Amino acid sequence: MSQQEMTTPQKKRIFSGIQPTGVFTLGNYIGAVRNWGALQDEYESIYCIVDLHAITVMQEPAALRANTMRAYALMLACGIDPKKSVAFIQSHNPNHAELSWVLSCSTMFGELSRMTQFKDKSARHADNINAGLFTYPVLMAADILAYNADLVPIGADQKQHLELARNIAVRFNQRFGQTFTVPEPYVPASGARLMSLQDPTKKMSKSDENANACVFILDDKDTIMRKFKRAVTDSEAEVCYREGKDGINNLMTIYSCVTGKTMDEITAEFAGKGYGDFKSAVGEAVADHLAPVRSEFARLSADKAYLNECIAIGSEQAYRMTRKILSKVYRRVGFVDHK
Ligand code: ATP
Ligand code: LTN
């Protein structure tokens, strides 16, 4: 063991992914991607654009290709530094799909049937309830287990999938011997769930048909101001966080996430002022918060050679990290060695 290994405890490993299904929303940013950047110094981090997951719903091939490249650039613009983290595209590392097959044979039909995302998505895409949509959580488990990740930073909506990944890991380990680390979810304290600006009882989602329902992280200032001005609130005129005030609660959460102010501070700041002033302040604060991401995205998008180089390095690193684990899995289940 080297001197350094003796004195420096190994960093914990984290893995997370995001689908290239559109421009990231303020919800994706605050709930997930913003935290990825903040975690990369403390953890050994691996971040992935999950294009294999994206094709579980209908994608137009040219649009998927463009969306994947944009999602990769967005991920870097949000603060993921490819020198500190492994940043890559899922389909570039075949070990995810290979492991997924093996894990699917340790996953029960009944468990997959209970997944709420499957139920929601099959209701929304009734004309395309494909087998991939059903086995989506197995591939997500493979993403995580292929790296023996300790922690998985996700929004609250993904906790059920993570619980399944843990069950698959435990089951495999029990049957074939200790192979996988059992991962923990990491939902940061600030990992608030942002709601739709048009229907604050629904999650802000990048695939919402109503563009006014969510703020995209590349929206310009005028668009952001307009979306907040139109945000649904209530008929009172009091900025305070209280049950039944879903619209105001959501705007206060957003304002708090981008300014760091507490709910009490926000209530004091807007005492005696109307919702119009409050909405403008939220819009201004969000636009200021996102401005550096927008300009960094513009800079990165103009440098395709750099992006392609980062993508190539990232896939090579990801492949190397997973090859040994996959060989171990193959040996454990009884496949003949490939000479
Ligand atoms: P889609 O609408 O295409 O299904 P999505 O907007 O729900 O996508 P995902 O790509 O599924 O986003 O999720 C990426 C990450 O963002 C996940 O960790 C998820 O938990 C988090 N996330 C998504 N929406 C929100 C939200 N409204 N608030 C907080 N976190 C969110
Ligand atoms: N299912 C996740 C995206 C995702 C993911 C992962 C997140 C795919 N693989 C592995 C964490 C770890 C989603 O829709 N947000």
Side-chain angles (χ1 to χ4, degrees), residues 181-337:
T181 303
V182 181
E184 298 284 341
Y186 184 97
V187 183
S190 65
R193 206 160 91 101
L194 302 195
M195 309 309 276
S196 157
L197 299 183
Q198 291 299 311
D199 175 358
T201 60
K202 255 178 48 188
K203 185 185 98 145
M204 186 185 284
S205 164
K206 46 175 143 60
S207 51
D208 202 310
E209 291 119 44
N210 183 351
N212 285 326
C214 57
V215 172
F216 296 105
I217 65 174
L218 295 179
D219 281 349
D220 60 26
K221 186 166 182 173
D222 288 350
T223 308
I224 295 176
M225 296 301 289
R226 181 169 42 78
K227 287 181 177 175
F228 280 108
K229 275 204 187 99
R230 292 190 186 164
V232 170
T233 50
D234 53 56
S235 53
E236 298 171 5
E238 205 190 347
V239 178
C240 69
Y241 198 96
R242 198 184 328 121
E243 213 185 308
K245 289 176 76 76
D246 294 332
I248 289 295
N249 294 350
N250 188 37
L251 295 182
M252 287 180 77
T253 303
I254 293 174
Y255 192 60
S256 164
C257 285
V258 297
T259 60
K261 293 178 185 170
T262 65
M263 295 303 174
D264 286 345
E265 285 167 347
I266 299 171
T267 304
E269 184 179 345
F270 294 97
K273 295 189 186 153
Y275 285 168
D277 287 346
F278 176 51
K279 287 175 166 183
S280 299
V282 180
E284 291 273 352
V286 168
D288 287 351
H289 193 70
L290 292 178
V293 176
R294 266 186 90 209
S295 58
E296 184 59 5
F297 175 78
R299 194 186 69 76
L300 284 164
S301 304
D303 196 349
K304 294 275 179 298
Y306 173 71
L307 286 176
N308 284 325
E309 189 192 325
C310 293
I311 291 173
I313 294 172
S315 6
E316 180 57 34
Q317 291 172 317
Y319 184 77
R320 264 192 283 112
M321 291 173 94
T322 48
R323 208 178 34 190
K324 272 214 208 96
I325 302 174
L326 195 74
S327 306
K328 186 171 179 183
V329 168
Y330 276 19
R331 256 181 286 120
R332 288 270 153 103
V333 300
F335 294 161
V336 171
D337 263 357

Side-chain angles (χ1 to χ4, degrees), residues 49-112:
I49 303 301
V50 292
D51 53 350
L52 299 177
H53 279 106
I55 62 165
T56 56
V57 301
M58 211 65 90
Q59 303 288 341
E60 206 274 302
L64 177 63
R65 195 167 292 118
N67 266 337
T68 303
M69 286 304 292
R70 186 176 55 191
Y72 190 89
L74 275 173
M75 174 167 74
L76 301 200
C78 289
I80 283 82
D81 176 351
K83 292 199 181 63
K84 293 183 182 169
S85 298
V86 174
F88 73 108
I89 296 171
Q90 189 186 30
S91 63
H92 289 186
N93 180 3
N95 292 329
H96 293 233
E98 284 194 42
L99 180 59
S100 180
W101 174 255
V102 177
L103 297 182
S104 71
C105 301
S106 283
T107 311
M108 300 302 124
F109 184 89
E111 306 184 278
L112 290 174

Side-chain angles (χ1 to χ4, degrees), residues 16-19 21 25 27-28 30-32 117 121 124 136 153-158 191-195 203-208:
S16 201
I18 185 161
Q19 300 189 68
T21 40
T25 65
N28 298 138
I30 288 175
Q117 182 179 292
K121 288 209 174 172
R124 268 197 281 147
Y136 176 115
I154 37 165
D157 59 304
Q158 293 297 313
R193 206 160 91 101
L194 302 195
M195 309 309 276
K203 185 185 98 145
M204 186 185 284
S205 164
K206 46 175 143 60
S207 51
D208 202 310

